[in-house]
Amino acid sequence: FGEKYGINHLYPHKLRHTFASIAITSGADVASVSEKLGHSNKAFTLQMYTHANQESMKRASQIYREALKKAGQG
């Protein structure tokens, strides 16, 4: 595939991995991504495609801060 289009080291499986990683780090739920990939075990999807990156960690912190603010208002 990569050779055909002049892109080194590009294989369909790499595109699959990129799809899963981007979908999950962008907020897609793991169950939906797992089903889309055809995995029978969602834990496998979690293990393979979730990584804590800087943006994900910032977003998690922001969600936590917003939840604390809401709790303090109620």
Side-chain angles (χ1 to χ4, degrees):
F1 184 86
E3 288 177 21
K4 181 177 180 179
Y5 294 101
I7 304 169
N8 294 332
H9 308 294
L10 179 63
Y11 305 97
H13 190 77
K14 191 175 261 189
L15 295 174
R16 174 183 168 92
H17 181 77
T18 301
F19 157 75
S21 297
I22 290 172
I24 290 171
T25 58
S26 297
D29 65 280
V30 174
S32 296
V33 174
S34 182
E35 187 172 325
K36 186 80 168 166
L37 295 173
H39 295 162
S40 59
N41 184 343
K42 290 167 189 58
F44 177 78
T45 306
L46 276 169
Q47 183 181 6
M48 291 300 296
Y49 296 107
T50 56
H51 339 273
N53 62 28
Q54 285 298 108
E55 190 59 36
S56 296
M57 290 186 288
K58 284 181 190 176
R59 192 171 6 174
S61 296
Q62 184 62 35
I63 290 168
Y64 181 68
R65 283 191 295 275
E66 289 173 10
L68 286 177
K69 286 179 187 177
K70 287 180 184 178
Q73 294 173 357

PDB file of all heavy atoms in Angstrom, residues 20-48:
ATOM      1  N   ALA A  20      -7.987   4.326  15.762  1.00  0.00           N
ATOM      2  CA  ALA A  20      -8.372   3.990  17.132  1.00  0.00           C
ATOM      3  C   ALA A  20      -7.771   4.968  18.134  1.00  0.00           C
ATOM      4  O   ALA A  20      -8.464   5.453  19.034  1.00  0.00           O
ATOM      5  CB  ALA A  20      -7.953   2.558  17.460  1.00  0.00           C
ATOM      6  N   SER A  21      -6.508   5.272  17.987  1.00  0.00           N
ATOM      7  CA  SER A  21      -5.836   6.181  18.915  1.00  0.00           C
ATOM      8  C   SER A  21      -6.446   7.576  18.880  1.00  0.00           C
ATOM      9  O   SER A  21      -6.723   8.170  19.920  1.00  0.00           O
ATOM     10  CB  SER A  21      -4.344   6.267  18.597  1.00  0.00           C
ATOM     11  OG  SER A  21      -3.736   5.017  18.760  1.00  0.00           O
ATOM     12  N   ILE A  22      -6.663   8.096  17.687  1.00  0.00           N
ATOM     13  CA  ILE A  22      -7.237   9.438  17.556  1.00  0.00           C
ATOM     14  C   ILE A  22      -8.675   9.459  18.064  1.00  0.00           C
ATOM     15  O   ILE A  22      -9.078  10.391  18.766  1.00  0.00           O
ATOM     16  CB  ILE A  22      -7.147   9.939  16.105  1.00  0.00           C
ATOM     17  CG1 ILE A  22      -5.681  10.220  15.748  1.00  0.00           C
ATOM     18  CG2 ILE A  22      -7.997  11.193  15.902  1.00  0.00           C
ATOM     19  CD1 ILE A  22      -5.451  10.546  14.284  1.00  0.00           C
ATOM     20  N   ALA A  23      -9.450   8.453  17.732  1.00  0.00           N
ATOM     21  CA  ALA A  23     -10.841   8.417  18.182  1.00  0.00           C
ATOM     22  C   ALA A  23     -10.935   8.423  19.704  1.00  0.00           C
ATOM     23  O   ALA A  23     -11.688   9.199  20.293  1.00  0.00           O
ATOM     24  CB  ALA A  23     -11.544   7.186  17.609  1.00  0.00           C
ATOM     25  N   ILE A  24     -10.149   7.586  20.355  1.00  0.00           N
ATOM     26  CA  ILE A  24     -10.215   7.483  21.812  1.00  0.00           C
ATOM     27  C   ILE A  24      -9.684   8.746  22.480  1.00  0.00           C
ATOM     28  O   ILE A  24     -10.310   9.275  23.395  1.00  0.00           O
ATOM     29  CB  ILE A  24      -9.486   6.217  22.302  1.00  0.00           C
ATOM     30  CG1 ILE A  24     -10.306   4.987  21.886  1.00  0.00           C
ATOM     31  CG2 ILE A  24      -9.292   6.237  23.815  1.00  0.00           C
ATOM     32  CD1 ILE A  24      -9.621   3.665  22.111  1.00  0.00           C
ATOM     33  N   THR A  25      -8.559   9.273  22.019  1.00  0.00           N
ATOM     34  CA  THR A  25      -8.020  10.483  22.648  1.00  0.00           C
ATOM     35  C   THR A  25      -8.874  11.706  22.348  1.00  0.00           C
ATOM     36  O   THR A  25      -8.799  12.699  23.061  1.00  0.00           O
ATOM     37  CB  THR A  25      -6.561  10.762  22.241  1.00  0.00           C
ATOM     38  OG1 THR A  25      -6.471  10.879  20.834  1.00  0.00           O
ATOM     39  CG2 THR A  25      -5.632   9.681  22.760  1.00  0.00           C
ATOM     40  N   SER A  26      -9.737  11.630  21.334  1.00  0.00           N
ATOM     41  CA  SER A  26     -10.642  12.739  21.021  1.00  0.00           C
ATOM     42  C   SER A  26     -11.979  12.615  21.730  1.00  0.00           C
ATOM     43  O   SER A  26     -12.860  13.444  21.538  1.00  0.00           O
ATOM     44  CB  SER A  26     -10.864  12.825  19.511  1.00  0.00           C
ATOM     45  OG  SER A  26      -9.646  13.102  18.865  1.00  0.00           O
ATOM     46  N   GLY A  27     -12.137  11.558  22.516  1.00  0.00           N
ATOM     47  CA  GLY A  27     -13.346  11.454  23.329  1.00  0.00           C
ATOM     48  C   GLY A  27     -14.325  10.367  22.934  1.00  0.00           C
ATOM     49  O   GLY A  27     -15.366  10.225  23.570  1.00  0.00           O
ATOM     50  N   ALA A  28     -14.034   9.612  21.898  1.00  0.00           N
ATOM     51  CA  ALA A  28     -14.931   8.510  21.540  1.00  0.00           C
ATOM     52  C   ALA A  28     -14.898   7.457  22.642  1.00  0.00           C
ATOM     53  O   ALA A  28     -13.845   7.222  23.239  1.00  0.00           O
ATOM     54  CB  ALA A  28     -14.510   7.883  20.212  1.00  0.00           C
ATOM     55  N   ASP A  29     -16.036   6.858  22.924  1.00  0.00           N
ATOM     56  CA  ASP A  29     -16.042   5.850  23.981  1.00  0.00           C
ATOM     57  C   ASP A  29     -15.398   4.559  23.476  1.00  0.00           C
ATOM     58  O   ASP A  29     -15.475   4.220  22.306  1.00  0.00           O
ATOM     59  CB  ASP A  29     -17.459   5.592  24.499  1.00  0.00           C
ATOM     60  CG  ASP A  29     -18.356   4.991  23.443  1.00  0.00           C
ATOM     61  OD1 ASP A  29     -18.850   5.754  22.590  1.00  0.00           O
ATOM     62  OD2 ASP A  29     -18.552   3.769  23.477  1.00  0.00           O
ATOM     63  N   VAL A  30     -14.746   3.888  24.395  1.00  0.00           N
ATOM     64  CA  VAL A  30     -13.973   2.691  24.058  1.00  0.00           C
ATOM     65  C   VAL A  30     -14.875   1.589  23.516  1.00  0.00           C
ATOM     66  O   VAL A  30     -14.490   0.863  22.603  1.00  0.00           O
ATOM     67  CB  VAL A  30     -13.164   2.200  25.276  1.00  0.00           C
ATOM     68  CG1 VAL A  30     -12.481   0.882  24.983  1.00  0.00           C
ATOM     69  CG2 VAL A  30     -12.143   3.248  25.674  1.00  0.00           C
ATOM     70  N   ALA A  31     -16.085   1.471  24.046  1.00  0.00           N
ATOM     71  CA  ALA A  31     -16.993   0.425  23.576  1.00  0.00           C
ATOM     72  C   ALA A  31     -17.285   0.588  22.085  1.00  0.00           C
ATOM     73  O   ALA A  31     -17.271  -0.392  21.334  1.00  0.00           O
ATOM     74  CB  ALA A  31     -18.291   0.446  24.386  1.00  0.00           C
ATOM     75  N   SER A  32     -17.527   1.811  21.649  1.00  0.00           N
ATOM     76  CA  SER A  32     -17.824   2.051  20.225  1.00  0.00           C
ATOM     77  C   SER A  32     -16.606   1.793  19.352  1.00  0.00           C
ATOM     78  O   SER A  32     -16.721   1.187  18.277  1.00  0.00           O
ATOM     79  CB  SER A  32     -18.306   3.484  20.023  1.00  0.00           C
ATOM     80  OG  SER A  32     -19.517   3.694  20.700  1.00  0.00           O
ATOM     81  N   VAL A  33     -15.449   2.246  19.792  1.00  0.00           N
ATOM     82  CA  VAL A  33     -14.225   2.021  19.015  1.00  0.00           C
ATOM     83  C   VAL A  33     -13.930   0.530  18.949  1.00  0.00           C
ATOM     84  O   VAL A  33     -13.595   0.001  17.886  1.00  0.00           O
ATOM     85  CB  VAL A  33     -13.033   2.800  19.615  1.00  0.00           C
ATOM     86  CG1 VAL A  33     -11.736   2.449  18.900  1.00  0.00           C
ATOM     87  CG2 VAL A  33     -13.291   4.296  19.553  1.00  0.00           C
ATOM     88  N   SER A  34     -14.087  -0.153  20.070  1.00  0.00           N
ATOM     89  CA  SER A  34     -13.844  -1.594  20.117  1.00  0.00           C
ATOM     90  C   SER A  34     -14.747  -2.334  19.133  1.00  0.00           C
ATOM     91  O   SER A  34     -14.298  -3.216  18.389  1.00  0.00           O
ATOM     92  CB  SER A  34     -14.080  -2.107  21.539  1.00  0.00           C
ATOM     93  OG  SER A  34     -13.802  -3.471  21.626  1.00  0.00           O
ATOM     94  N   GLU A  35     -16.013  -1.942  19.118  1.00  0.00           N
ATOM     95  CA  GLU A  35     -16.956  -2.587  18.192  1.00  0.00           C
ATOM     96  C   GLU A  35     -16.591  -2.282  16.736  1.00  0.00           C
ATOM     97  O   GLU A  35     -16.617  -3.163  15.884  1.00  0.00           O
ATOM     98  CB  GLU A  35     -18.379  -2.114  18.490  1.00  0.00           C
ATOM     99  CG  GLU A  35     -19.417  -2.855  17.689  1.00  0.00           C
ATOM    100  CD  GLU A  35     -20.827  -2.528  18.133  1.00  0.00           C
ATOM    101  OE1 GLU A  35     -21.060  -2.306  19.333  1.00  0.00           O
ATOM    102  OE2 GLU A  35     -21.707  -2.506  17.248  1.00  0.00           O
ATOM    103  N   LYS A  36     -16.226  -1.049  16.468  1.00  0.00           N
ATOM    104  CA  LYS A  36     -15.843  -0.648  15.104  1.00  0.00           C
ATOM    105  C   LYS A  36     -14.634  -1.444  14.617  1.00  0.00           C
ATOM    106  O   LYS A  36     -14.560  -1.812  13.446  1.00  0.00           O
ATOM    107  CB  LYS A  36     -15.534   0.852  15.096  1.00  0.00           C
ATOM    108  CG  LYS A  36     -15.265   1.435  13.768  1.00  0.00           C
ATOM    109  CD  LYS A  36     -16.547   1.694  13.045  1.00  0.00           C
ATOM    110  CE  LYS A  36     -16.296   2.546  11.827  1.00  0.00           C
ATOM    111  NZ  LYS A  36     -17.438   2.547  10.947  1.00  0.00           N
ATOM    112  N   LEU A  37     -13.703  -1.735  15.540  1.00  0.00           N
ATOM    113  CA  LEU A  37     -12.510  -2.496  15.182  1.00  0.00           C
ATOM    114  C   LEU A  37     -12.764  -3.996  15.113  1.00  0.00           C
ATOM    115  O   LEU A  37     -11.919  -4.752  14.652  1.00  0.00           O
ATOM    116  CB  LEU A  37     -11.391  -2.217  16.193  1.00  0.00           C
ATOM    117  CG  LEU A  37     -10.856  -0.791  16.216  1.00  0.00           C
ATOM    118  CD1 LEU A  37      -9.892  -0.621  17.376  1.00  0.00           C
ATOM    119  CD2 LEU A  37     -10.199  -0.425  14.905  1.00  0.00           C
ATOM    120  N   GLY A  38     -13.915  -4.433  15.628  1.00  0.00           N
ATOM    121  CA  GLY A  38     -14.239  -5.852  15.609  1.00  0.00           C
ATOM    122  C   GLY A  38     -13.630  -6.634  16.764  1.00  0.00           C
ATOM    123  O   GLY A  38     -13.534  -7.860  16.702  1.00  0.00           O
ATOM    124  N   HIS A  39     -13.231  -5.929  17.812  1.00  0.00           N
ATOM    125  CA  HIS A  39     -12.682  -6.616  18.989  1.00  0.00           C
ATOM    126  C   HIS A  39     -13.818  -7.202  19.824  1.00  0.00           C
ATOM    127  O   HIS A  39     -14.812  -6.537  20.070  1.00  0.00           O
ATOM    128  CB  HIS A  39     -11.887  -5.654  19.867  1.00  0.00           C
ATOM    129  CG  HIS A  39     -10.656  -5.119  19.223  1.00  0.00           C
ATOM    130  ND1 HIS A  39     -10.011  -4.001  19.678  1.00  0.00           N
ATOM    131  CD2 HIS A  39      -9.943  -5.550  18.159  1.00  0.00           C
ATOM    132  CE1 HIS A  39      -8.956  -3.764  18.928  1.00  0.00           C
ATOM    133  NE2 HIS A  39      -8.892  -4.684  17.990  1.00  0.00           N
ATOM    134  N   SER A  40     -13.654  -8.419  20.266  1.00  0.00           N
ATOM    135  CA  SER A  40     -14.669  -9.035  21.127  1.00  0.00           C
ATOM    136  C   SER A  40     -14.437  -8.667  22.582  1.00  0.00           C
ATOM    137  O   SER A  40     -15.329  -8.826  23.416  1.00  0.00           O
ATOM    138  CB  SER A  40     -14.651 -10.560  20.966  1.00  0.00           C
ATOM    139  OG  SER A  40     -13.376 -11.073  21.305  1.00  0.00           O
ATOM    140  N   ASN A  41     -13.267  -8.150  22.902  1.00  0.00           N
ATOM    141  CA  ASN A  41     -12.917  -7.829  24.277  1.00  0.00           C
ATOM    142  C   ASN A  41     -12.537  -6.351  24.366  1.00  0.00           C
ATOM    143  O   ASN A  41     -11.502  -5.938  23.834  1.00  0.00           O
ATOM    144  CB  ASN A  41     -11.744  -8.721  24.712  1.00  0.00           C
ATOM    145  CG  ASN A  41     -11.372  -8.541  26.155  1.00  0.00           C
ATOM    146  OD1 ASN A  41     -11.738  -7.561  26.796  1.00  0.00           O
ATOM    147  ND2 ASN A  41     -10.617  -9.494  26.671  1.00  0.00           N
ATOM    148  N   LYS A  42     -13.351  -5.562  25.049  1.00  0.00           N
ATOM    149  CA  LYS A  42     -13.088  -4.128  25.169  1.00  0.00           C
ATOM    150  C   LYS A  42     -11.802  -3.852  25.947  1.00  0.00           C
ATOM    151  O   LYS A  42     -11.136  -2.848  25.725  1.00  0.00           O
ATOM    152  CB  LYS A  42     -14.284  -3.431  25.804  1.00  0.00           C
ATOM    153  CG  LYS A  42     -15.483  -3.409  24.875  1.00  0.00           C
ATOM    154  CD  LYS A  42     -16.739  -3.010  25.604  1.00  0.00           C
ATOM    155  CE  LYS A  42     -17.961  -3.191  24.744  1.00  0.00           C
ATOM    156  NZ  LYS A  42     -18.175  -4.535  24.240  1.00  0.00           N
ATOM    157  N   ALA A  43     -11.450  -4.752  26.856  1.00  0.00           N
ATOM    158  CA  ALA A  43     -10.211  -4.581  27.622  1.00  0.00           C
ATOM    159  C   ALA A  43      -8.998  -4.597  26.692  1.00  0.00           C
ATOM    160  O   ALA A  43      -8.021  -3.878  26.913  1.00  0.00           O
ATOM    161  CB  ALA A  43     -10.086  -5.662  28.687  1.00  0.00           C
ATOM    162  N   PHE A  44      -9.059  -5.391  25.644  1.00  0.00           N
ATOM    163  CA  PHE A  44      -7.969  -5.433  24.671  1.00  0.00           C
ATOM    164  C   PHE A  44      -7.829  -4.072  23.990  1.00  0.00           C
ATOM    165  O   PHE A  44      -6.725  -3.550  23.830  1.00  0.00           O
ATOM    166  CB  PHE A  44      -8.217  -6.523  23.622  1.00  0.00           C
ATOM    167  CG  PHE A  44      -7.162  -6.566  22.557  1.00  0.00           C
ATOM    168  CD1 PHE A  44      -5.935  -7.157  22.803  1.00  0.00           C
ATOM    169  CD2 PHE A  44      -7.388  -5.995  21.310  1.00  0.00           C
ATOM    170  CE1 PHE A  44      -4.948  -7.181  21.824  1.00  0.00           C
ATOM    171  CE2 PHE A  44      -6.409  -6.018  20.328  1.00  0.00           C
ATOM    172  CZ  PHE A  44      -5.181  -6.612  20.590  1.00  0.00           C
ATOM    173  N   THR A  45      -8.962  -3.490  23.612  1.00  0.00           N
ATOM    174  CA  THR A  45      -8.942  -2.170  22.977  1.00  0.00           C
ATOM    175  C   THR A  45      -8.340  -1.147  23.927  1.00  0.00           C
ATOM    176  O   THR A  45      -7.497  -0.343  23.524  1.00  0.00           O
ATOM    177  CB  THR A  45     -10.368  -1.747  22.571  1.00  0.00           C
ATOM    178  OG1 THR A  45     -10.939  -2.772  21.757  1.00  0.00           O
ATOM    179  CG2 THR A  45     -10.364  -0.445  21.791  1.00  0.00           C
ATOM    180  N   LEU A  46      -8.758  -1.174  25.187  1.00  0.00           N
ATOM    181  CA  LEU A  46      -8.201  -0.256  26.177  1.00  0.00           C
ATOM    182  C   LEU A  46      -6.692  -0.418  26.284  1.00  0.00           C
ATOM    183  O   LEU A  46      -5.944   0.561  26.308  1.00  0.00           O
ATOM    184  CB  LEU A  46      -8.828  -0.512  27.546  1.00  0.00           C
ATOM    185  CG  LEU A  46     -10.160   0.154  27.821  1.00  0.00           C
ATOM    186  CD1 LEU A  46     -10.769  -0.413  29.092  1.00  0.00           C
ATOM    187  CD2 LEU A  46      -9.984   1.655  27.930  1.00  0.00           C
ATOM    188  N   GLN A  47      -6.249  -1.642  26.356  1.00  0.00           N
ATOM    189  CA  GLN A  47      -4.826  -1.920  26.527  1.00  0.00           C
ATOM    190  C   GLN A  47      -4.014  -1.458  25.318  1.00  0.00           C
ATOM    191  O   GLN A  47      -2.933  -0.901  25.458  1.00  0.00           O
ATOM    192  CB  GLN A  47      -4.625  -3.411  26.750  1.00  0.00           C
ATOM    193  CG  GLN A  47      -3.192  -3.808  27.002  1.00  0.00           C
ATOM    194  CD  GLN A  47      -3.062  -5.312  27.201  1.00  0.00           C
ATOM    195  OE1 GLN A  47      -4.014  -6.063  27.038  1.00  0.00           O
ATOM    196  NE2 GLN A  47      -1.878  -5.754  27.553  1.00  0.00           N
ATOM    197  N   MET A  48      -4.544  -1.672  24.135  1.00  0.00           N
ATOM    198  CA  MET A  48      -3.786  -1.388  22.922  1.00  0.00           C
ATOM    199  C   MET A  48      -3.818   0.076  22.487  1.00  0.00           C
ATOM    200  O   MET A  48      -2.854   0.567  21.912  1.00  0.00           O
ATOM    201  CB  MET A  48      -4.319  -2.238  21.760  1.00  0.00           C
ATOM    202  CG  MET A  48      -4.033  -3.711  21.892  1.00  0.00           C
ATOM    203  SD  MET A  48      -2.279  -4.087  21.963  1.00  0.00           S
ATOM    204  CE  MET A  48      -1.734  -3.545  20.348  1.00  0.00           C
TER     205      MET A  48
END
